[in-house]
Every structure is written in structure tokens, then in C-alpha cells.
Amino acid sequence: MVFAKTQPNLKLSGERFSVVYNILGDSKEQIMDRAQEVCLEQTVELPLSLVPEGVLRDEVVGQIEDVDYSSAEGRATVKINYPVETTGTGLTQFLNVVFGNTSMQPGIQVVSLHLPDSMLATYPGPRFGTAGLREIMGVKERPLIGTALKPMGVPPEDLAEFVYQMALGGLDFIKDDHGLANQIFHPFEERVERCVEAVDRANRETGRKCMYVPNVTAPIDEIRDRALFAKQAGADGLEVSFGLTGMDAIRLLAQDDDLQLPVISHPALSGSFVTSPTNGISHRVLYGQLMRLAGADGVIFVSYGGRFAYSEEQCQGALQGCREPMGHLKPILPLPGGGMTLERLPELRSFYGRDVIFLVAGGLYSPSPDLLANAKLFAKMVVEADSAVMEQA
Amino acid sequence: MVFAKTQPNLKLSGERFSVVYNILGDSKEQIMDRAQEVCLEQTVELPLSLVPEGVLRDEVVGQIEDVDYSSAEGRATVKINYPVETTGTGLTQFLNVVFGNTSMQPGIQVVSLHLPDSMLATYPGPRFGTAGLREIMGVKERPLIGTALKPMGVPPEDLAEFVYQMALGGLDFIKDDHGLANQIFHPFEERVERCVEAVDRANRETGRKCMYVPNVTAPIDEIRDRALFAKQAGADGLEVSFGLTGMDAIRLLAQDDDLQLPVISHPALSGSFVTSPTNGISHRVLYGQLMRLAGADGVIFVSYGGRFAYSEEQCQGALQGCREPMGHLKPILPLPGGGMTLERLPELRSFYGRDVIFLVAGGLYSPSPDLLANAKLFAKMVVEADSAVMEQA
């Protein structure tokens, strides 16, 4: 064997993290074969016959920890663990070990991540989280009221006027639509300055705190500059589409002590990971656990029942990932959006609970031509929907 | 209407780029409805009823240019064009307009991109391309012989010895396995220095030029430092897994005049875009057109017939995207890999043609315990497979 004599010249810590995969197969035997392939593919990337005995085979290669065939015929959930040393340091190589080459296998899906505390400790995680965001907005318990600033193409002064009216109407949170980048229609710097001025003016009038969060998704060597500009201009947070920039851009922004701003992730271009029922990454992992490892304080995802096709089960998964215990990593706020209407708020309140920012955009612009009145209506309906649920409880 | 009076305060250029989508639907009417949704979703992200008449509705919103129902029942290819101004400048927002939110729609797939020359001119593209890589390796016409350096976990001195033997045996191209990051097993800097020394030593003995290309996939604020270290150490190129770092990392490396090194892209974590038959991005676009826009000189993808499940048609798509005319953007080298064996080289040569680097790793390590002999065998078989095809022609 080519590699017969080679071995790591060090002792591994023995600490391992686990990934639960959903694996399809025609038989239990085939599922186990596929699971064994994952153990190899995600580490040494060699057939077992070429992996030398000793530490490489016994420790570096992934190990099947548990198999559960009970969910349905032709599939199993398989828990595989890997030594923490395989991930080096950092999110990029962690993602690689979790799903790098296996992303190219049909019928294999990442269901959940399980990291030992020693490994979680290496990720600073969200700086603000749910409690921090609530503190900024000054809203202790009720669900939060948010929107996306649209549409692409209109002048910055008009966008700023929309911000003013919506903040005045009672919204807690306004973020750039993810399509507002640095186009000539509304150059980034002018847009941010005008919108910050508008939200500040409204906040002075209301005595409340509505956040304005610009989109800093950009070429990777410009992201930090845009974020610093936003910070200096007085913006209240930073939105980034990790599918466009790479997930590590969230970490870059979240950990930056010169910024110290909440980071809100947007799902643009991440859809192909969650759209196939049999390949990809679960909502719980993609829009929950990984966002918290990266350091997002809020995560936008598409709600069930809107103009996209995700299920209630998938959205529950995102909630779980945002809220479940993960060592020292703070819980973060889910921001469901994507075709939600005001009429659905009672139902959405029941489903998403209180720690949520309802992201309603098209549905906020539709009821009347008066944006201020629409914002007031939205704010009133969220409060009413919340009261109704609380009274029932 | 809320937005009745707002309009861009400038005149658009009229230049538009097109995206061909494959769209599933129960009827022609439904497919057209879905196509119209894409036009809105990828730009103003509002229902048509909320888009004011004038430039916004007439120019900013995407426009259906062509519909072809002929491919199969229940689907159509739909060509949609967008104003170049929507993409601002840069790859991240271009990706956003092409497929950002629509990535979350099942049954919609990006098939091909069509950019006007004025827009292509804003992308520097590959610095070396096929011709430049051939010039570095000193191989004018025959297919190139490459491998991935493995496995994760072995000491740098052993990896360097593998490099030495494989270069001595006649390989043209050796790249780090994408799983070699900066782990304690083989820290990046020590690994690169040792492997560069080994490949240089072999090259002095053979009088030929085998490239050694380290993996610089890393946290996004460390990528450039690793690349600069690799450059200074004498490495011949840079490998980056764009699924882990974001695609813009390729552009960052390719355009850097302090580096001026070939960039080779790896498909780790990109699989979910190409694994569903009905959602995602075609091989032609993901592993061809987009790689050239980003500036990769070579693109690794998984070949049909190996341990992954991609089809010949998909691999032909990747070849097309690497080689088809795209304004001033150079053609680039495909590097098919992923479970190819030496026995298949005659077939693979017929399929992939001459402008290709055959990436054989497990298949190179298997024939005997003697890596030098295996490398010689691999090199001999590629040359023989090439001669056989050329004689038939």
C-alpha cells in the first residue's frame, strides 16, 4: 500500500464533533455502505483499502456513532463523528468536513450538528443575539415588527422617505431589500446616509427605536469598508447575504470590534441547499446552527405559506436551530419573510412565538397607498395577534 | 399605490444581459406565470400591481425574451433579460440578480448566461486560461496529467515525498486535496514550503515542469495572506473551494497583481447547486461560465462514471462552459476528477478531448505500493490514450 507507513506525528485530543445525516438507500446494507463512504470522503478521501492502519484509520477517518432506520423505508439518519483536528481552525474548513464533497452526493442531507463545548468555545458566536436585539429596539416581550426597504431602482431620497414613514408608523426594524447593493439608482453611501437620517428623525418624533439595517453584501474585499461606512453613518446593523459572499463574511462582520453591530443574514442564493427534499442542508442547520456559529444575530428565511414552497416542518427546524442550547452561543432572532400578509399575522404569531421579527414587505405596501397608515396597521395587528395568543394561554 | 410617483432619477443604458432558466410547470400558462415571477423577484421584488408605470416597470424589471416549450412536457426554457445596471458592479450582486431569491424556488434552474461584450469587459477574467497553463507546464497539445495530494492527516514531510515521486514519475500537475487546510497534521506554511521544495527537486531531475498548487481556502480575511505566502514560497498556482469561501474569492485571487498565479477552483460544498435535476445551476454555468467571470484558470468538477452520480450530459455542459466563446474571457482547463481509474483513460480521453487535466488520485494510488511506478504508468496511459485517439482521427 502506497501510504502504508505514514501517520500523523502527533497525538489527537480525542475530542470529536458529530453530524447527523439523512441517507437514502435501497437497503440497510447500502445505507451503511454510503455512511462509510461519507466517513472517508469527508476526511482522508481515499478508499478504506488505501488508508493505513493506526491513527489515520482509527481516529482521523469519520466514525459511525449511531444509525436510526425508524423514520421511513429506504432512509436512515446516521450520526457520524469526526476529530475536531480535521477542521483546523475556522468555519470554512468546518463546512468542508461537514458537507464539502458529500454535497455532490444525491440522497444525503445534513440534519443537525453536535459540537463539544471545547469546540463551541472557539466560535465567538452572536454578539447581540435575541436579548441584545430586543434591548436595542427597547421591546421586551412582544414579537417585533419589521420590513424590507424596496424596490430596487428608486432614488435614495424616496427610499429615505419610505423609511421615515414606516418608522413613524411603528415598525421596529427596517432592512434594505437584499437587492439594494451599490447600483447607480441608489449608491450605497448616499442611501445609507439618507436612510439613517430618516430613521433617526422618525425615532426622535416617536421616542421609540426603529433599527435601520443596510445591506453590506459586496465583493469580499469591500464588505468591511461598507460596514465601516455604515457604522460611521450611524446604521444600527448590517445585512449580508451569505450565499453570495460565503458564510465566513458573517463571522468577519460579527467579530469585528471596530464595528460591534448586529449582523442579519439573508438567504439569497442559499436556496439550492434547502430546496431538494433529499440533498442539501436542513433549515435547522443552515438557518440556525451555522448562523450562530458564524455569529449572526438574526436570520432571514422564507416562511411557509408565502410565495415560496417551504413547509411548516422546515420553518420549525429553523426556529429550533435559532433557539436550541448551543454552549455559550446566544439564541438568535428568526426573521421569517417572503410573501407573508397582514391577514396571516394571528396564525404566524401562534406558529413563530414571541421571539421573532415578522418581515412583511409586499404585504405592508398593499393595503393602501398610504405607507404611514399601512405601517400603523401592521404594528397594530402584530400587537393584537400577540395579545390574543397571550390571553388564550 | 404606495410607490406611484417614484422613479429612477437617471436614464438607463439600455444594455441588458440574459439568463436562460429551465422552468417546470403544469401548463404553459403556469410556466409563463412563474417566468413573470422571476422577472419581478430578481429585481424589484414586488407584485406587478405595486410596480409603478414608467422606467421601473418598463426597464428595471426583468423581461421575458424567449420561451421554448419544445424540450419536454411540463417544462420550458425561458430567456429573461435584465438591465446591466441592476448588478451594480461585481460578481456578488450579479449572482444575486441571476438566481438570488429564485434559488429558493423548486423547479427553476439556471441553464446559461449571455452577457453583452460591454459587460464582459468589466470582468478581467482568467489571467492564464488554457494556453497560459499549457505554457507553464510546457505541454503544447496532449492532455495533462494531474492528481490531488492526499491524505489528510499525514506529516508534511511525507506529503512532500509523495509530491517528489509523482512529479518524478511524469505528472504535470499536483494540487493539495481540498481537505488539506491548515490543520495541525500539516500546517499550511510548512506543507507548502516542503512540497514546493520537493516538486522543484523533481523538476530539476526531469527537466520538465510539474506544477504544485496548494489549497488556500481559508477564512476570507486570511485567503490573501496564504496566497502571498504560497507565491513567496514558489508555488505554481492557488486552489480555492468557492463553495466554502464564496465565489468572489476566486476573483480576489485572480485579479491580484501581487500574486499573478493561476487559480484553480474546487467544487466542495457546491454540490447542492447541481445535484437536483430541477433546481439549481447547470454545470455549464457553475463550472464554466461563472468560473471564467470570476477568473479561474482551471475548474475541478466531478466526472461521470466515478463515485459520484453526475451524467455525461452534465460533464459536457461543464466543458462547454469552459470552452465556448465569452468575449475577451479566455477558455479555461477542465479538471475532471472524483473516482476516475487509469483503465478508463481511453474512454475519458475520447470524451474530454485534449484540453483537459485528468485528475486521478485514488486511481493513481491503487495499482501498486510504488508511487513512482504508478505515476509513470498513469503518464504512459494518458499519452497512449491520446495517441490512440489521434491516430483514429
Side-chain angles (χ1 to χ4, degrees):
Chain A
M1 183 203 294
V2 165
F3 305 115
K5 291 181 211 154
T6 188
Q7 288 294 344
N9 49 8
L10 49 89
K11 206 173 145 40
L12 271 65
S13 67
E15 289 266 36
R16 302 178 78 89
F17 69 96
S18 304
V19 182
V20 174
Y21 301 92
N22 205 338
I23 301 183
L24 302 193
D26 295 332
S27 63
K28 290 186 179 184
E29 195 179 17
Q30 195 197 28
I31 290 171
M32 281 304 282
D33 285 348
R34 298 195 78 195
Q36 186 55 41
E37 284 295 317
V38 173
C39 293
L40 294 161
E41 187 75 49
Q42 298 307 103
T43 53
V44 292
E45 213 188 315
L46 286 174
L48 188 61
S49 60
L50 289 178
V51 183
E53 290 180 15
V55 182
L56 274 175
R57 192 180 284 208
D58 297 342
E59 295 194 52
V60 173
V61 169
Q63 294 176 352
I64 299 171
E65 188 179 320
D66 193 36
V67 185
D68 179 356
Y69 295 103
S70 67
S71 64
E73 196 71 26
R75 69 168 60 199
T77 52
V78 183
K79 192 171 195 174
I80 294 175
N81 63 47
Y82 306 97
V84 297
E85 287 86 351
T86 55
T87 72
T89 49
L91 194 59
T92 45
Q93 174 61 12
F94 176 71
L95 290 170
N96 198 20
V97 177
V98 170
F99 202 47
N101 270 9
T102 296
S103 74
M104 294 182 274
Q105 290 290 8
I108 302 184
Q109 193 180 33
V110 177
V111 175
S112 60
L113 306 174
H114 305 273
L115 281 63
D117 284 346
S118 64
M119 194 177 181
L120 288 172
T122 66
Y123 290 87
R127 192 184 284 264
F128 297 87
T130 298
L133 284 171
R134 280 195 175 282
E135 198 177 321
I136 292 170
M137 291 180 270
V139 177
K140 284 205 181 133
E141 290 182 324
R142 68 161 168 81
L144 297 145
I145 301 156
T147 196
L149 180 63
K150 307 181 183 186
M152 176 195 287
V154 309
E157 55 268 33
D158 291 1
L159 292 172
E161 177 61 23
F162 304 157
V163 167
Y164 173 72
Q165 292 188 25
M166 295 191 293
L168 204 60
L171 268 59
D172 303 303
F173 182 94
I174 301 169
K175 66 158 201 85
D176 283 350
D177 188 32
H178 74 287
L180 307 187
N182 189 27
Q183 297 100 333
I184 51 169
F185 311 122
H186 28 54
F188 176 77
E189 298 193 353
E190 182 186 353
R191 179 176 87 241
V192 172
E193 283 179 339
R194 284 182 184 268
C195 291
V196 167
E197 187 279 327
V199 80
D200 285 351
R201 185 156 39 91
N203 286 340
R204 281 195 301 275
E205 294 181 37
T206 61
R208 300 175 59 260
K209 173 66 183 178
C210 175
M211 296 176 71
Y212 165 65
V213 176
N215 174 31
V216 299
T217 306
I220 60 176
D221 46 352
E222 295 178 31
I223 295 171
R224 188 167 186 268
D225 289 342
R226 292 211 191 153
L228 283 169
F229 183 89
K231 168 82 177 180
Q232 200 182 2
D236 302 301
L238 306 165
E239 178 189 33
V240 65
S241 296
F242 66 89
L244 303 173
T245 60
M247 200 177 290
D248 197 51
I250 297 172
R251 192 267 319 154
L252 186 81
L253 295 170
Q255 290 183 16
D256 193 327
D257 287 336
D258 293 334
L259 294 170
Q260 303 203 32
L261 283 175
V263 178
I264 309 296
S265 73
H266 188 281
L269 204 65
S270 74
S272 299
F273 287 108
V274 289
T275 296
S276 159
T278 59
N279 171 278
I281 303 177
S282 71
H283 273 57
R284 178 178 170 194
V285 171
L286 190 66
Y287 299 136
Q289 295 181 313
L290 285 174
M291 293 297 101
R292 288 163 75 190
L293 282 177
D297 301 287
V299 54
I300 300 167
F301 60 89
V302 160
S303 182
Y304 72 94
R307 67 181 186 277
F308 296 85
Y310 297 112
S311 67
E312 294 189 26
E313 187 187 356
Q314 285 175 304
C315 295
Q316 281 292 353
L319 293 185
Q320 182 181 358
C322 287
R323 296 168 179 173
E324 68 189 298
M326 275 184 84
H328 76 109
L329 301 183
K330 298 182 173 96
I332 63 177
L333 274 180
L335 287 92
M340 310 199 316
T341 57
L342 298 191
E343 296 71 39
R344 289 182 60 212
L345 282 170
E347 166 212 345
L348 294 167
R349 165 60 185 82
S350 296
F351 185 87
Y352 287 108
R354 302 192 97 184
D355 282 335
V356 58
I357 302 181
F358 290 115
L359 208 58
V360 178
L364 166 67
Y365 302 134
S366 307
S368 86
D370 182 343
L371 193 49
L372 176 62
N374 293 357
K376 284 181 178 171
L377 176 66
F378 178 21
K380 179 167 160 277
M381 289 184 75
V382 169
V383 171
E384 285 176 0
D386 185 53
S387 300
V389 172
M390 295 309 288
E391 275 165 26
Q392 281 171 14
Chain B
M1 184 203 295
V2 165
F3 306 115
K5 291 181 208 153
T6 188
Q7 289 293 345
N9 49 9
L10 48 90
K11 203 171 147 42
L12 271 65
S13 66
E15 289 265 37
R16 302 177 78 87
F17 69 96
S18 305
V19 182
V20 174
Y21 301 93
N22 205 339
I23 301 182
L24 302 193
D26 294 333
S27 62
K28 289 186 179 185
E29 196 179 16
Q30 195 196 30
I31 290 170
M32 281 304 282
D33 285 349
R34 298 195 77 194
Q36 187 54 41
E37 285 295 316
V38 173
C39 293
L40 294 161
E41 186 75 48
Q42 297 307 103
T43 54
V44 292
E45 214 187 316
L46 285 174
L48 188 62
S49 60
L50 288 178
V51 183
E53 290 180 17
V55 182
L56 273 175
R57 192 181 284 209
D58 298 341
E59 295 194 52
V60 173
V61 169
Q63 294 176 353
I64 299 171
E65 187 180 322
D66 192 37
V67 185
D68 179 357
Y69 295 103
S70 67
S71 65
E73 195 70 27
R75 69 168 60 198
T77 53
V78 182
K79 192 171 194 172
I80 294 175
N81 64 47
Y82 307 96
V84 297
E85 287 86 352
T86 56
T87 72
T89 50
L91 194 60
T92 44
Q93 175 61 10
F94 176 71
L95 290 170
N96 198 19
V97 177
V98 170
F99 201 48
N101 269 9
T102 296
S103 74
M104 293 181 275
Q105 289 290 8
I108 302 184
Q109 192 180 33
V110 177
V111 175
S112 60
L113 306 175
H114 306 273
L115 280 64
D117 284 346
S118 63
M119 194 177 182
L120 288 172
T122 66
Y123 290 87
R127 193 185 283 264
F128 297 87
T130 298
L133 285 171
R134 279 195 176 282
E135 199 177 321
I136 293 170
M137 291 180 271
V139 177
K140 284 205 180 132
E141 290 182 326
R142 68 160 168 79
L144 296 146
I145 302 155
T147 196
L149 181 63
K150 305 180 183 185
M152 178 195 287
V154 308
E157 56 269 32
D158 291 1
L159 292 172
E161 178 61 23
F162 304 157
V163 166
Y164 174 72
Q165 292 188 26
M166 294 190 293
L168 205 61
L171 268 59
D172 302 303
F173 181 95
I174 301 168
K175 66 159 202 85
D176 283 349
D177 187 34
H178 74 287
L180 307 187
N182 188 27
Q183 298 99 332
I184 50 169
F185 312 121
H186 28 55
F188 176 77
E189 298 193 352
E190 183 186 352
R191 181 176 84 241
V192 172
E193 284 181 337
R194 284 182 183 266
C195 291
V196 166
E197 187 279 328
V199 80
D200 285 351
R201 185 155 41 90
N203 286 340
R204 283 195 301 275
E205 293 182 37
T206 62
R208 300 174 60 258
K209 173 65 183 179
C210 173
M211 296 175 71
Y212 166 64
V213 176
N215 174 30
V216 299
T217 306
I220 60 177
D221 46 351
E222 295 178 32
I223 295 171
R224 185 165 188 268
D225 290 343
R226 290 209 193 156
L228 284 169
F229 182 89
K231 168 84 177 180
Q232 199 183 4
D236 302 300
L238 306 165
E239 178 189 33
V240 65
S241 296
F242 66 90
L244 304 173
T245 59
M247 200 177 289
D248 197 52
I250 297 173
R251 193 267 320 154
L252 186 82
L253 295 170
Q255 290 183 16
D256 193 325
D257 287 335
D258 293 334
L259 294 169
Q260 303 204 30
L261 283 175
V263 177
I264 309 296
S265 73
H266 188 282
L269 204 66
S270 73
S272 299
F273 288 108
V274 289
T275 296
S276 159
T278 58
N279 171 279
I281 303 178
S282 71
H283 273 57
R284 178 178 168 194
V285 171
L286 190 66
Y287 298 137
Q289 295 182 312
L290 286 174
M291 292 298 101
R292 288 164 74 190
L293 282 177
D297 301 288
V299 54
I300 301 167
F301 60 90
V302 159
S303 181
Y304 72 95
R307 66 181 187 277
F308 296 86
Y310 298 112
S311 67
E312 294 189 26
E313 188 187 354
Q314 286 175 302
C315 295
Q316 280 294 352
L319 294 185
Q320 181 181 358
C322 287
R323 295 169 179 171
E324 68 189 298
M326 275 185 84
H328 76 108
L329 300 183
K330 298 182 173 94
I332 62 177
L333 275 179
L335 289 90
M340 310 199 318
T341 57
L342 299 191
E343 297 71 39
R344 289 182 60 212
L345 282 170
E347 166 212 345
L348 295 167
R349 165 61 186 82
S350 296
F351 185 88
Y352 286 108
R354 303 193 97 185
D355 282 335
V356 58
I357 302 180
F358 290 116
L359 207 58
V360 178
L364 164 66
Y365 301 134
S366 306
S368 86
D370 182 343
L371 193 49
L372 176 61
N374 293 357
K376 285 180 177 172
L377 176 66
F378 177 20
K380 179 166 161 277
M381 289 184 77
V382 169
V383 171
E384 285 177 0
D386 186 53
S387 301
V389 172
M390 295 309 288
E391 275 164 26
Q392 281 171 15

